Amino acid sequence: MDQDIIEMLDQYFRNELSQERRREIDERLKNDASFKGEAERHFAFLQTLENAGRRAALKNSFDLIHQHIPADERKPVVVPSPGFRRFWPAIAVAASVALLSVVTTVLTMQNVSETESKYIDLRRNVEQIQRSQKAQKAILDDIASKKADPIAASYTGTGFMVSGSGYIATSYHVIRDADSVYIQNERFGILKAIVVRTDQVNDVAILKIDDPAFTPSGQLPFVITSAQSDLGAGVFTLGFPREEIVYGEGTISAATGYKQNVTAYQIAVPVNPGNSGGPLVNQTGEVVGMISGIQTEALGAAFAVKSNILLDVINNIPADSLGKSIQLSRYNRLKNHDRTQQVKRLRDYVFMVKVYNQR
Amino acid sequence: MHYIDELIVSEIRLKNDRILHELYKLHFPMIRRLVMANSGSEHEAKDIYQDAIIAFYERCQQPDFQLSCKISTYLYAVSRRLWLKRLNEKKWTPMSIHEADVFPDIDTEMVRVDENEANMGRMQLALSQLGEPCNSVLLDFYFNKFTMEEITGKFGYTNTDTAKNQKYKCLQRLKKLFFAK
């Protein structure tokens, strides 16, 4: 291949060509088999060269940090003793706790400009917290004692009742990969639920309480509105970023969500992992949306699925998978209450959604 | 798979070097124990371990890569195989440690690792035979992604055309060396 072609392919490889030129080459690659062969060999070679460069750079950086690894005790190591094996799990756990703390500090300290902004689901990874706590406990306590811990949920999120007959709305990403789902709050206690509908695209899931301990609670005191909310409208949410129900308030800050998604609002409401699936409620006590995620790049940018999308999902549940169609409440009984009264009424219908999986 | 491991993989994909370095520091003692318990030195442990962690790094960069086991399992299993191979080459007795910690697709993974190692070895050799300034010109352009202007300045070429010319000649020589054997 002559120099001009190499030059052109180099620019192609480095993604420096204009769209037009790129398309031209793509076209030629498609139609000219021998050109394609040569180009592919060239690219493969460049890839090998690039990898070799990266390997050298990695080894250099590894050599540098290697100095910070404490040297071995220099004892001649024989076959690992059974005693060592017994303690190995604890050592491994201790090590993973160390990395966990490093990862989290690095993540929180990370330079935000370095990567494109990310969208983060707000389900709470219980395992993450639990494991580090458990690990510390295990190291401090007697390692050998095998007390059975009560089974802890793998993930938690928030959900809220949309119908007195026992239907709960939550985020799809909260119940994704679930083996079993339980909901819990002060009024109803712990109830088993099943997933009856998911909408992955809009990040909505509908659960149904499937527990003999549950008695249907009649009409709900609040409604889910199908109207769009205005920019600047005051809103609040209730959710379970921790074991305790937490209130947060703010405003609707944009009529579209992450990446101009028209099915969501951007909201300025402080939310945390665990808030996913929580109701977003306006001043008159109507549900206007459901919390779904945050954007890492912009501080305070959170998103909520619009309530009309939520209603669509609920209304599209085929009657046969339900037995009978969902009865939504029509009358907003929170309208003339002040915020504290609204919260007091609402919190009975907001649940912690606990997801268990055996992975 | 474990959430934390997935997080690490995604951070490594984003070229988060600090995470990679912490990962490196975290698991070295495990491999050192493995190698030193099986007639190896600390230095050899470091060699083996670096190859394993680079293999892991390169796998992370592939878009289709899915973590099928814990990262520590991956590093342990690959290091162990690499060390076995090294011992075989030395005609020493194979390890006493049984394969406690493996993942299912280790065999295909090792084919990939070995292939990469061989390929990289040839490229390193070709690069060292190529000599300077060609070596640096090519790595600066293709790996460090310098622009032609930066290379012109750094190596003192009169203009970008001369630099492009040099780069082309260097690349042709490197290809010749690489494909020679």
Side-chain angles (χ1 to χ4, degrees), chain A residues 119-159:
Chain A
Y119 182 84
I120 292 197
D121 292 339
L122 287 178
R123 73 172 174 183
R124 191 162 68 109
N125 189 327
V126 178
E127 192 189 5
Q128 192 183 344
I129 304 158
Q130 207 106 33
R131 214 184 324 147
S132 60
Q133 288 172 345
K134 243 194 229 158
Q136 285 157 356
K137 192 165 152 275
I139 296 157
L140 295 173
D141 292 354
D142 182 11
I143 302 157
S145 86
K146 282 175 189 146
K147 268 182 228 150
D149 283 326
I151 303 163
S154 311
Y155 294 100
T156 69
T158 303

Side-chain angles (χ1 to χ4, degrees), chain A residues 10 14 42 63 66 100 125, chain B residues 3 24 141-142 146 175:
Chain A
D10 280 357
R14 285 165 51 123
H42 182 63
D63 282 344
H66 200 95
L100 176 70
N125 189 327
Chain B
Y3 177 75
Y24 179 95
F141 184 76
Y142 292 106
F146 284 16
K175 280 189 174 174

Side-chain angles (χ1 to χ4, degrees), chain A residues 277-326:
Chain A
L280 190 69
V281 183
N282 69 10
Q283 268 154 346
T284 57
E286 296 170 324
V287 174
V288 298
M290 182 170 78
I291 308 292
S292 59
I294 49 170
Q295 190 179 356
T296 53
E297 186 190 49
L299 202 63
F303 302 102
V305 186
K306 292 179 182 173
S307 51
N308 59 335
I309 303 296
L310 190 60
L311 285 173
D312 282 349
V313 177
I314 295 169
N315 291 332
N316 282 331
I317 299 181
D320 58 357
S321 80
L322 294 178
K324 55 183 177 183
S325 58
I326 299 185

Side-chain angles (χ1 to χ4, degrees), chain A residues 1 7 10 14 42 51 55 59 61-63 66 70 88 95 99-100 102 107 110 125 128, chain B residues 3-4 8 11 21-22 24 26 32-33 46 50-51 53 58 117 120 141-142 146 167-168 175:
Chain A
M1 278 194 289
E7 192 59 42
D10 280 357
R14 285 165 51 123
H42 182 63
N51 287 350
R55 264 181 188 235
K59 285 210 173 182
S61 73
F62 288 157
D63 282 344
H66 200 95
W88 171 243
L99 186 62
L100 176 70
V102 168
L107 288 184
Q110 203 178 18
N125 189 327
Q128 192 183 344
Chain B
Y3 177 75
I4 185 80
I8 291 169
E11 284 304 310
H21 291 165
E22 291 305 326
Y24 179 95
L26 174 65
R32 176 169 55 195
R33 263 193 307 276
K46 182 178 123 182
Q50 289 192 353
D51 287 344
I53 206 157
E58 287 176 350
E117 290 286 317
M120 284 299 125
F141 184 76
Y142 292 106
F146 284 16
K167 184 201 75 182
Y168 174 71
K175 280 189 174 174

Side-chain angles (χ1 to χ4, degrees), chain B residues 30-41 44-45 48 83:
Chain B
M30 169 177 79
I31 305 305
R32 176 169 55 195
R33 263 193 307 276
L34 168 75
V35 171
M36 290 178 76
N38 290 279
S39 47
S41 68
E44 283 169 313
I48 290 288
W83 183 236

Side-chain angles (χ1 to χ4, degrees), chain B residues 19-161:
Chain B
I19 294 282
L20 184 66
H21 291 165
E22 291 305 326
L23 186 72
Y24 179 95
K25 281 198 259 180
L26 174 65
H27 292 306
F28 179 65
M30 169 177 79
I31 305 305
R32 176 169 55 195
R33 263 193 307 276
L34 168 75
V35 171
M36 290 178 76
N38 290 279
S39 47
S41 68
E42 172 139 12
H43 187 79
E44 283 169 313
K46 182 178 123 182
D47 266 5
I48 290 288
Y49 180 60
Q50 289 192 353
D51 287 344
I53 206 157
I54 285 174
F56 175 70
Y57 176 89
E58 287 176 350
R59 287 294 274 143
C60 285
Q61 304 307 326
Q62 290 166 358
D64 61 328
F65 177 61
Q66 280 266 326
L67 197 60
S68 66
C69 61
K70 287 203 296 191
I71 295 175
S72 59
T73 307
Y74 181 97
L75 292 175
Y76 184 89
V78 170
S79 299
R80 183 184 169 281
R81 289 290 192 94
L82 287 173
W83 183 236
L84 261 181
K85 203 174 143 211
R86 199 68 78 84
L87 284 178
N88 269 331
E89 282 162 8
K90 290 200 217 171
K91 305 229 183 312
W92 283 5
T93 43
M95 282 191 253
S96 56
I97 288 189
H98 59 272
E99 209 152 1
D101 224 7
V102 281
F103 52 99
D105 33 3
I106 173 87
D107 289 317
T108 39
E109 191 63 28
M110 288 318 292
V111 171
R112 209 189 317 254
V113 170
D114 288 343
E115 236 169 54
N116 270 339
E117 290 286 317
N119 226 359
M120 284 299 125
R122 270 167 67 201
M123 184 54 90
Q124 302 286 13
L125 184 67
L127 279 169
S128 68
Q129 289 167 338
L130 183 66
E132 294 295 350
C134 268
N135 196 323
S136 300
V137 169
L138 292 180
L139 285 177
D140 276 347
F141 184 76
Y142 292 106
F143 168 64
N144 292 319
K145 309 283 182 200
F146 284 16
T147 63
M148 235 38 238
E149 286 72 28
E150 285 168 327
I151 287 175
T152 308
K154 181 176 171 188
F155 294 91
Y157 295 119
T158 45
N159 55 44
T160 50
D161 283 337

